[in-house]
Amino acid sequence: MTAKSITVLQTKPHKSTYRSARAEGHDWRDIGAALIRSLDLQDADKPHYSCAFLFITDALAGDAASLLTLLQDVTAIPVWAGCSGIGVMDSHGASLTEKAAVLLVCDFPPHCVMNLPIQTQPDFLILPDTIHSWLKLHGPPFGLVFADPFPDGQLGGLLHQLSRQTGAFLVGGISSAADDADAAGHMAGILLSSQVYVQTAMSQGCTPIGPAHTITRLDNGLIAALDDQPALHVFASDLRHMAMADIGTDPDAIAVGHEVSQEALEDSFSHLFQGEVHVGLPIAGSDRGDYLVRPMLGVEADSEHIMIDAPLQEGMAIRFVRRNDKTMFGDLARMLDDVKKRVEDAPNPPKAAIYISCAGRAVSPDMRADELVSLRAVLGDIPMAGFYAGGEIFREDQHSFTGILTLFY
C-alpha cells in the first residue's frame, strides 16, 4: 500500500478572524484534516467563526457530504455555503481536476449572517418563515447564492423571485456538475445584513464593437431593424469597422478613397465568428454600465434579421460586443482599476475575498495564473477562496465567462 500524498497551501491571515487555505490530496479525510490543521480550527482558544465558505473540485463532489460533516463537527461553525466546480482557487494558485478544496472562514457578527435554505419548484421559490423574520430586522441584505444547473431559463426566474422576496443584491455561481448529469433543482447560500460592509464587482471579459443601438422592429422574435435600419446592415457595419481596426486601417479611409486589402479584411471577418461576437443587453438600474452577454444564434441573409438567445422587446437597447483572451484581460484590468479606487476610499482595507470565475477561463494555464496574479496585485495577500463555475450570478441574472469579485471589510 502506497502512502497518500497531501499538499496544503495556506494564505497568511490578513486579520486573525478571517483565514483561508487550499488543500489537495487523494482522500477527503486527508483534505479535511489538512484544512483543519492548517487553519488551527480545532483549538478552542482560537477566534470563533460564524460562517465558512467551502469550494471543492468536481472530483471531490461525491464526498462533499462527508467532508462537510467532518468540518462542521470539528469547527462548530454554524453557517456554511459553497459549491463545486472544475477547479478551486486561492490568491496563490488553483487546483483543477484532482481532489481539492478551499476553505474560507469568516467572523461576521453572528446575528448578521443567515443560512439561506431555498425550496424550489419548476416555476416558483419558497423561503422559510425564519428568513422573512430575519429580513424584517436586517434588510436590505447581500446574498451569496450557489446553485446546480437548472433547465434553460428556469434559474433566471428563480433568481428574480429571490431578489424580489429578500431585497438582496445577489452574487454567486453555478456548479459545473461535470460528474453529475442529474444535478438540478438545488439552490442555497447565505444572507449578510446591511451591517456587514461588502463590495462587489464583475468583469464581463468583453469590449464593445460599436455604439448602442435601439431595436425598432421585431419580426416573430427576430430583430428586423436597429435604429430604423435593417438589422443585418447595422451589424455588418459594426463588424466592418472593427475588422478594419484590426488590420490597422482607418474606418474613414473608404470615404477618402484609400485602398483597403479585401483579403486582409475577409481574414479578419473569419475570426469574428469563432465565438468572439456576442450581444450585450444593458441591465436596467446599473450605475456601472453592466450588461448581460447573450450569444448570437445566427442571421437570416434573405430577411436581414438577427437571431439572439434572449427575450426581446421593441425599444430595447443592445450593443454588439467582442470577447477573446485580449478583451478578457483588458476588462479584468478595468474592473480591478475600479476596485482599487474603491478599496482606497474604504474606511478599512478588505479582510477577505471570494472570487468566482467562469470554467471557460480555466482552460488556459497562463490565463488562470495571470488572472490570480492580477487579483493579488490589487488586493494583496488577503484570505481568498473561489472556484471555476459553470455559470455566474450577478444581481439577479445568470452570466457566462465572467469574473465576480466580492470583498468583505
Side-chain angles (χ1 to χ4, degrees):
M1 180 177 178
T2 59
K4 297 176 181 177
S5 63
I6 186 78
T7 304
V8 177
L9 304 98
Q10 181 179 1
T11 301
K12 294 180 181 179
H14 182 76
K15 296 280 188 180
S16 63
T17 52
Y18 289 78
R19 298 186 182 187
S20 70
R22 176 167 50 99
E24 304 167 353
H26 297 297
D27 186 89
W28 67 268
R29 298 171 187 83
D30 294 336
I31 292 173
L35 293 173
I36 292 167
R37 184 171 58 252
S38 178
L39 298 181
D40 295 327
L41 296 178
Q42 205 163 8
D43 190 336
D45 294 331
K46 296 297 179 182
H48 172 73
Y49 300 101
S50 59
C51 180
F53 295 94
L54 176 66
F55 303 115
I56 62 174
T57 56
D58 288 329
L60 194 57
D63 297 312
S66 298
L67 176 61
L68 179 59
T69 298
L70 169 66
L71 294 173
Q72 288 176 322
D73 288 346
V74 172
T75 67
I77 296 174
V79 178
W80 289 77
C83 200
S84 68
I86 67 165
V88 297
M89 72 184 90
D90 61 10
S91 61
H92 294 279
S95 303
L96 276 76
T97 66
E98 68 270 21
K99 291 185 176 182
V102 61
L103 177 64
L104 171 67
V105 291
C106 306
D107 187 31
F108 305 126
H111 65 279
C112 291
V113 59
M114 183 73 175
N115 264 322
L116 187 60
I118 301 170
Q119 302 175 38
T120 61
Q121 300 296 328
D123 298 316
F124 62 92
L125 174 147
I126 304 172
L127 295 178
D129 292 339
T130 52
I131 293 294
H132 293 290
S133 298
W134 184 85
L135 287 170
K136 292 178 181 178
L137 299 174
H138 300 287
F142 179 83
L144 289 118
V145 180
F146 306 100
D148 288 331
F150 279 73
D152 289 345
Q154 190 179 117
L155 181 58
L158 294 173
L159 290 172
H160 180 82
Q161 292 181 51
L162 179 59
S163 176
R164 293 298 177 269
Q165 290 187 36
T166 63
F169 188 108
L170 305 175
V171 303
I174 302 165
S175 169
S176 58
D179 297 327
D180 187 1
D182 296 326
H186 301 288
M187 183 165 64
I190 68 162
L191 292 175
L192 293 173
S193 82
S194 55
Q195 293 175 265
V196 179
Y197 186 28
V198 177
Q199 288 184 341
T200 189
M202 176 175 64
S203 168
Q204 290 273 17
C206 297
T207 57
I209 291 174
H213 303 290
T214 301
I215 299 175
T216 49
R217 186 164 67 87
L218 291 173
D219 183 5
N220 293 321
L222 306 182
I223 300 177
L226 291 169
D227 305 331
D228 293 319
Q229 301 179 56
L232 189 55
H233 286 197
V234 176
F235 178 51
S237 176
D238 282 0
L239 288 186
R240 188 174 181 83
H241 276 68
M242 184 176 67
M244 285 191 290
D246 281 354
I247 62 175
T249 300
D250 186 346
D252 295 327
I254 296 176
V256 295
H258 291 182
E259 291 186 4
V260 177
S261 169
Q262 193 65 26
E263 181 178 349
L265 193 58
E266 289 177 357
D267 181 65
S268 184
F269 264 113
S270 70
H271 293 291
L272 301 182
F273 290 94
Q274 297 177 6
E276 285 196 27
V277 178
H278 306 269
V279 174
L281 306 176
I283 298 175
S286 171
D287 60 352
R288 299 184 181 275
D290 296 323
Y291 49 85
L292 287 171
V293 177
R294 293 295 181 256
M296 286 188 59
L297 300 181
V299 298
E300 289 189 349
D302 293 339
S303 66
E304 300 183 335
H305 293 175
I306 295 175
M307 294 172 279
I308 296 174
D309 184 17
L312 302 171
Q313 294 179 347
E314 291 182 358
M316 178 183 290
I318 71 167
R319 71 188 316 162
F320 300 107
V321 298
R322 185 181 195 181
R323 176 184 278 163
N324 55 31
D325 289 359
K326 182 178 180 180
T327 66
M328 191 210 88
F329 282 111
D331 194 52
L332 178 64
R334 174 208 58 78
M335 181 195 81
L336 290 177
D337 183 60
D338 180 55
V339 167
K340 184 178 181 180
K341 295 174 182 175
R342 294 160 66 187
V343 167
E344 291 172 348
D345 291 339
N348 300 295
K351 297 176 182 177
I354 287 179
Y355 189 64
I356 301 168
S357 185
C358 178
R361 297 188 179 207
V363 175
S364 165
D366 291 339
M367 185 181 296
R368 294 197 305 271
D370 291 346
E371 187 175 26
L372 292 175
V373 167
S374 298
L375 286 165
R376 191 173 178 184
V378 171
L379 302 177
D381 192 15
I382 67 172
M384 188 184 89
F387 71 106
Y388 293 99
E392 303 79 60
I393 297 167
F394 193 77
R395 295 171 69 95
E396 55 187 64
D397 300 299
Q398 179 179 342
H399 296 264
S400 62
F401 211 75
T402 62
I404 298 175
L405 176 67
T406 299
L407 299 176
F408 304 120
Y409 287 82

